[in-house]
Amino acid sequence: MSSSSGIKLAAVVPAAGTGSRMQSEQPKQFIEIQSQPILSHTLAAIQRAPQVQRVFVAVNPTAINLYPRWPEAVETVSGGESRAESVLMGLKEAARQGFSHALVHDAARPCLPLSVLLDVIEQGTLQDQGAIVALPVRDTLKRAQADSLTISSTVSRERLWQAQTPQVFAIKPLIAAINKMGVAHPGLTDEASAMEFAGYQPRLVMGSYKNIKVTFPEDIELVSYYLNEEINHS
Ligand SMILES: Nc1ccn([C@@H]2O[C@H](COP(=O)(O)OP(=O)(O)OP(=O)(O)O)[C@@H](O)[C@H]2O)c(=O)n1
Ligand SMILES: C[C@](O)(CO)[C@H](O)COP(=O)(O)O
């Protein structure tokens, strides 16, 4: 991605969550796997793309000392009360430093394959609708009754995809879309939600089942396996 294309890409990594569903002593992004915090693995995965010129990590100021030493071209911003607010803080700093596009990627997704990363960067920067990594739903989907764990209905999975990250968008339209929808909006759970709200139709880029978001305790064993596989076979 040369400067002649006019595109200047930064990564924004929301890493200011508390990881409540993990039920761990420290926020899940700082849990160590192979002697490295999960966040370190995520930053290393993102920085394999030469197009990413800088990384803005949104962290809770009270947790910043949990991180040993920030890699080169990585800087921190203060996170917010919600993921959307943390992302917005990173986007604003990236815009202030002159970046035109952002690749937003959850700190809790350390097993991002390079091929997926490069695909979403290409798809997200070659047109103005942006792009997200996602996977077609492969299990039958059921909607539960409102007041019991019994099936209310089966939801057609036709054309249903599960969003992952990275999500790649032009920064100024994304900031405007997040502000239009409102960071506190319950439906604003990823960047594409805001862009859709603003009328965009982001592209879907095939993700990977390895690109899981560390959320519950049982995820650690699977992520450890994938990271070990990556390190020993790359
Ligand atoms: N106020 C917040 C909340 C979440 N995140 C980040 O957004 C990503 C995805 O969110 P999630 O998996 O929900 O993380 P947590 O909110 O920490 O987890 P939980 O919902 O279990 O508390 C994580 O990397 C998390 O650190 C953030 O930067 N700021
Ligand atoms: C952004 C995301 O990872 C896409 O699936 C997801 O929406 C994050 O949700 P969370 O509840 O903040 O983990």
Side-chain angles (χ1 to χ4, degrees):
M1 184 170 296
S2 67
S3 56
S4 61
S5 66
I7 291 173
K8 199 177 171 196
L9 180 68
V12 172
V13 178
T18 58
S20 59
R21 289 172 285 183
M22 180 57 70
Q23 297 172 336
S24 58
E25 287 179 13
Q26 59 186 337
K28 61 190 178 184
Q29 57 272 30
F30 298 110
I31 292 174
E32 292 202 356
I33 295 178
Q34 290 161 11
S35 307
Q36 290 284 333
I38 284 174
L39 177 55
S40 287
H41 292 289
T42 302
L43 293 175
I46 292 169
Q47 292 190 301
R48 288 186 296 179
Q51 301 94 324
V52 175
Q53 298 180 27
R54 196 153 188 79
V55 184
F56 298 90
V57 186
V59 292
N60 183 320
T62 63
I64 202 161
N65 61 353
L66 289 171
Y67 201 79
R69 185 178 58 79
W70 298 103
E72 193 177 334
V74 174
E75 65 181 89
T76 59
V77 296
S78 292
E81 289 301 310
S82 66
R83 179 186 177 282
E85 192 172 359
S86 295
V87 168
L88 187 58
M89 302 301 277
L91 292 172
K92 286 179 176 177
E93 183 54 24
R96 192 187 69 79
Q97 294 191 25
F99 289 92
S100 64
H101 287 70
L103 176 140
V104 182
H105 185 55
D106 294 327
R109 291 184 189 268
C111 305
L112 173 64
L114 178 58
S115 59
V116 173
L117 173 61
L118 297 177
D119 281 352
V120 72
I121 288 173
E122 181 183 7
Q123 289 298 319
T125 55
L126 60 72
Q127 38 83 35
D128 66 355
Q129 299 298 299
I132 75 165
V133 171
L135 283 173
V137 167
R138 58 177 172 178
D139 298 320
T140 295
L141 298 177
K142 304 293 183 184
R143 185 177 300 281
Q145 296 285 357
D147 53 1
S148 69
L149 278 182
T150 53
I151 294 173
S152 164
S153 61
T154 296
V155 178
S156 167
R157 55 184 157 165
E158 185 184 355
R159 296 188 291 119
L160 284 189
W161 291 59
Q162 284 176 269
Q164 298 181 334
T165 65
Q167 304 199 2
V168 178
F169 294 101
I171 291 178
K172 288 181 179 172
L174 180 53
I175 290 176
I178 291 172
N179 286 332
K180 178 176 179 169
M181 190 168 181
V183 285
H185 192 297
L188 182 40
T189 55
D190 70 344
E191 288 60 65
S193 307
M195 295 299 280
E196 295 158 44
F197 185 81
Y200 289 81
Q201 291 185 317
R203 288 201 179 159
L204 291 164
V205 172
M206 188 60 72
S208 165
Y209 289 102
K210 293 182 179 180
N211 186 32
I212 71 167
K213 180 167 67 71
V214 175
T215 305
F216 297 103
E218 60 265 30
D219 296 331
I220 293 294
E221 185 178 356
L222 188 54
V223 163
S224 299
Y225 172 79
Y226 286 146
L227 288 173
N228 187 56
E229 188 186 49
E230 175 77 13
I231 288 168
N232 292 337
H233 299 95
S234 57

Short mmCIF file of all heavy atoms in Angstrom, two decimals, residues 14 21 28 82-84 104 106 108-109 132-133 162-165 167 188-191 193 213-215, ligand 2:
data_model
loop_
_atom_site.label_atom_id
_atom_site.label_comp_id
_atom_site.label_asym_id
_atom_site.label_seq_id
_atom_site.Cartn_x
_atom_site.Cartn_y
_atom_site.Cartn_z
N PRO A 14 -8.97 -2.74 20.43
CA PRO A 14 -9.68 -2.55 21.69
C PRO A 14 -9.21 -3.59 22.70
O PRO A 14 -9.39 -4.79 22.48
CB PRO A 14 -11.15 -2.72 21.33
CG PRO A 14 -11.15 -3.49 20.05
CD PRO A 14 -9.85 -3.23 19.36
N ARG A 21 -16.55 -12.54 31.54
CA ARG A 21 -16.99 -13.92 31.24
C ARG A 21 -15.85 -14.92 31.41
O ARG A 21 -16.07 -16.11 31.56
CB ARG A 21 -17.57 -13.98 29.82
CG ARG A 21 -18.91 -13.30 29.66
CD ARG A 21 -19.34 -13.22 28.20
NE ARG A 21 -18.60 -12.19 27.48
CZ ARG A 21 -18.83 -11.88 26.19
NH1 ARG A 21 -19.73 -12.55 25.50
NH2 ARG A 21 -18.12 -10.92 25.60
N LYS A 28 -8.60 -10.85 30.44
CA LYS A 28 -8.17 -12.01 29.65
C LYS A 28 -7.06 -11.68 28.65
O LYS A 28 -6.22 -12.53 28.33
CB LYS A 28 -9.37 -12.60 28.92
CG LYS A 28 -10.02 -11.61 27.96
CD LYS A 28 -11.35 -12.13 27.43
CE LYS A 28 -12.01 -11.12 26.51
NZ LYS A 28 -13.34 -11.57 26.06
N SER A 82 -17.28 1.15 26.93
CA SER A 82 -17.76 0.09 26.03
C SER A 82 -16.69 -0.18 24.98
O SER A 82 -15.78 0.64 24.77
CB SER A 82 -19.05 0.54 25.32
OG SER A 82 -18.74 1.64 24.45
N ARG A 83 -16.83 -1.30 24.29
CA ARG A 83 -15.88 -1.62 23.22
C ARG A 83 -15.91 -0.51 22.18
O ARG A 83 -14.87 -0.05 21.70
CB ARG A 83 -16.24 -2.97 22.60
CG ARG A 83 -15.34 -3.37 21.47
CD ARG A 83 -15.82 -4.66 20.77
NE ARG A 83 -14.96 -4.98 19.63
CZ ARG A 83 -15.03 -4.36 18.44
NH1 ARG A 83 -15.92 -3.37 18.26
NH2 ARG A 83 -14.21 -4.70 17.46
N ALA A 84 -17.16 -0.07 21.85
CA ALA A 84 -17.31 0.97 20.82
C ALA A 84 -16.59 2.25 21.23
O ALA A 84 -15.94 2.91 20.41
CB ALA A 84 -18.79 1.26 20.59
N VAL A 104 -9.65 -2.54 12.61
CA VAL A 104 -10.01 -2.73 14.02
C VAL A 104 -10.00 -4.22 14.33
O VAL A 104 -10.66 -5.00 13.62
CB VAL A 104 -11.39 -2.13 14.34
CG1 VAL A 104 -11.71 -2.29 15.83
CG2 VAL A 104 -11.44 -0.65 13.94
N ASP A 106 -9.97 -7.16 17.63
CA ASP A 106 -10.09 -7.42 19.07
C ASP A 106 -8.78 -7.93 19.64
O ASP A 106 -8.19 -8.86 19.08
CB ASP A 106 -11.15 -8.50 19.33
CG ASP A 106 -12.56 -8.08 18.96
OD1 ASP A 106 -12.87 -6.88 19.11
OD2 ASP A 106 -13.34 -8.94 18.51
N ALA A 108 -8.62 -9.80 21.97
CA ALA A 108 -8.93 -11.17 22.40
C ALA A 108 -8.93 -12.18 21.26
O ALA A 108 -9.36 -13.32 21.43
CB ALA A 108 -10.29 -11.16 23.10
N ARG A 109 -8.47 -11.75 20.08
CA ARG A 109 -8.40 -12.68 18.93
C ARG A 109 -6.94 -12.82 18.48
O ARG A 109 -6.51 -12.20 17.50
CB ARG A 109 -9.24 -12.16 17.78
CG ARG A 109 -10.76 -12.19 18.04
CD ARG A 109 -11.54 -11.75 16.81
NE ARG A 109 -12.96 -11.57 17.06
CZ ARG A 109 -13.88 -12.53 16.88
NH1 ARG A 109 -13.51 -13.73 16.45
NH2 ARG A 109 -15.16 -12.28 17.15
N ILE A 132 -15.29 -6.75 6.41
CA ILE A 132 -15.10 -7.41 7.71
C ILE A 132 -14.82 -8.88 7.48
O ILE A 132 -15.27 -9.49 6.49
CB ILE A 132 -16.32 -7.24 8.66
CG1 ILE A 132 -17.49 -8.15 8.24
CG2 ILE A 132 -16.75 -5.80 8.74
CD1 ILE A 132 -18.54 -8.29 9.33
N VAL A 133 -14.11 -9.46 8.42
CA VAL A 133 -13.88 -10.90 8.43
C VAL A 133 -15.09 -11.55 9.09
O VAL A 133 -15.62 -11.06 10.09
CB VAL A 133 -12.59 -11.23 9.21
CG1 VAL A 133 -12.43 -12.72 9.44
CG2 VAL A 133 -11.37 -10.68 8.48
N GLN A 162 -21.33 -15.13 10.88
CA GLN A 162 -20.89 -14.64 12.18
C GLN A 162 -19.72 -13.69 11.97
O GLN A 162 -18.70 -14.08 11.40
CB GLN A 162 -20.39 -15.81 13.04
CG GLN A 162 -21.46 -16.70 13.63
CD GLN A 162 -20.81 -17.85 14.37
OE1 GLN A 162 -20.58 -18.90 13.79
NE2 GLN A 162 -20.51 -17.66 15.65
N ALA A 163 -19.90 -12.44 12.45
CA ALA A 163 -18.83 -11.46 12.28
C ALA A 163 -17.65 -11.77 13.21
O ALA A 163 -17.84 -12.19 14.36
CB ALA A 163 -19.35 -10.05 12.60
N GLN A 164 -16.45 -11.56 12.67
CA GLN A 164 -15.24 -11.59 13.49
C GLN A 164 -14.58 -10.21 13.37
O GLN A 164 -15.19 -9.24 12.93
CB GLN A 164 -14.28 -12.69 13.00
CG GLN A 164 -14.84 -14.12 13.08
CD GLN A 164 -13.85 -15.17 12.59
OE1 GLN A 164 -12.95 -14.93 11.78
NE2 GLN A 164 -14.00 -16.40 13.09
N THR A 165 -13.33 -10.14 13.73
CA THR A 165 -12.49 -9.00 13.38
C THR A 165 -11.23 -9.59 12.78
O THR A 165 -10.95 -10.77 13.01
CB THR A 165 -12.11 -8.13 14.61
OG1 THR A 165 -11.30 -8.89 15.51
CG2 THR A 165 -13.35 -7.58 15.29
N GLN A 167 -11.94 -5.63 11.09
CA GLN A 167 -12.91 -4.90 10.32
C GLN A 167 -12.20 -3.65 9.81
O GLN A 167 -11.60 -2.93 10.61
CB GLN A 167 -14.16 -4.59 11.15
CG GLN A 167 -14.78 -5.85 11.74
CD GLN A 167 -16.22 -5.72 12.18
OE1 GLN A 167 -16.85 -4.66 12.03
NE2 GLN A 167 -16.78 -6.80 12.71
N LEU A 188 -24.61 -1.56 18.81
CA LEU A 188 -23.30 -1.22 18.26
C LEU A 188 -22.23 -2.14 18.83
O LEU A 188 -21.48 -1.79 19.73
CB LEU A 188 -22.98 0.26 18.57
CG LEU A 188 -21.68 0.85 18.06
CD1 LEU A 188 -21.31 0.37 16.67
CD2 LEU A 188 -21.74 2.36 18.09
N THR A 189 -22.24 -3.38 18.34
CA THR A 189 -21.32 -4.40 18.89
C THR A 189 -20.12 -4.65 17.98
O THR A 189 -19.20 -5.40 18.35
CB THR A 189 -22.08 -5.73 19.11
OG1 THR A 189 -22.69 -6.12 17.87
CG2 THR A 189 -23.15 -5.57 20.18
N ASP A 190 -20.14 -4.07 16.79
CA ASP A 190 -18.95 -4.12 15.94
C ASP A 190 -18.97 -2.89 15.05
O ASP A 190 -19.96 -2.16 15.00
CB ASP A 190 -18.87 -5.43 15.14
CG ASP A 190 -19.93 -5.53 14.03
OD1 ASP A 190 -20.90 -4.76 14.04
OD2 ASP A 190 -19.75 -6.40 13.14
N GLU A 191 -17.88 -2.66 14.31
CA GLU A 191 -17.77 -1.42 13.51
C GLU A 191 -18.75 -1.47 12.35
O GLU A 191 -19.33 -0.47 11.96
CB GLU A 191 -16.33 -1.29 13.00
CG GLU A 191 -15.32 -0.92 14.10
CD GLU A 191 -15.27 -1.95 15.21
OE1 GLU A 191 -14.86 -3.11 14.94
OE2 GLU A 191 -15.65 -1.61 16.35
N SER A 193 -21.67 -2.63 12.30
CA SER A 193 -23.03 -2.23 12.74
C SER A 193 -23.24 -0.73 12.53
O SER A 193 -24.28 -0.29 12.06
CB SER A 193 -23.24 -2.54 14.22
OG SER A 193 -22.94 -3.87 14.52
N LYS A 213 -12.53 -15.60 19.38
CA LYS A 213 -12.39 -14.53 20.38
C LYS A 213 -12.34 -15.19 21.77
O LYS A 213 -13.29 -15.87 22.17
CB LYS A 213 -13.58 -13.59 20.31
CG LYS A 213 -13.51 -12.46 21.32
CD LYS A 213 -14.53 -11.39 21.01
CE LYS A 213 -15.93 -11.93 21.23
NZ LYS A 213 -16.21 -12.11 22.69
N VAL A 214 -11.24 -15.05 22.47
CA VAL A 214 -11.12 -15.60 23.81
C VAL A 214 -12.19 -14.95 24.67
O VAL A 214 -12.20 -13.73 24.84
CB VAL A 214 -9.73 -15.35 24.40
CG1 VAL A 214 -9.66 -15.81 25.85
CG2 VAL A 214 -8.66 -16.03 23.56
N THR A 215 -13.13 -15.76 25.14
CA THR A 215 -14.26 -15.22 25.90
C THR A 215 -14.50 -15.98 27.20
O THR A 215 -14.68 -15.38 28.24
CB THR A 215 -15.55 -15.27 25.04
OG1 THR A 215 -15.31 -14.57 23.80
CG2 THR A 215 -16.72 -14.60 25.76
C1 LIG B 2 -16.57 -7.35 17.39
C2 LIG B 2 -16.95 -8.78 17.60
O1 LIG B 2 -15.82 -9.54 17.98
C3 LIG B 2 -17.51 -9.35 16.32
O2 LIG B 2 -18.02 -10.64 16.56
C4 LIG B 2 -18.01 -8.94 18.70
O3 LIG B 2 -19.17 -8.21 18.34
C5 LIG B 2 -17.50 -8.43 20.02
O4 LIG B 2 -18.56 -8.63 20.95
P1 LIG B 2 -18.22 -8.56 22.48
O5 LIG B 2 -19.50 -8.88 23.21
O6 LIG B 2 -17.75 -7.14 22.72
O7 LIG B 2 -17.18 -9.59 22.70
#
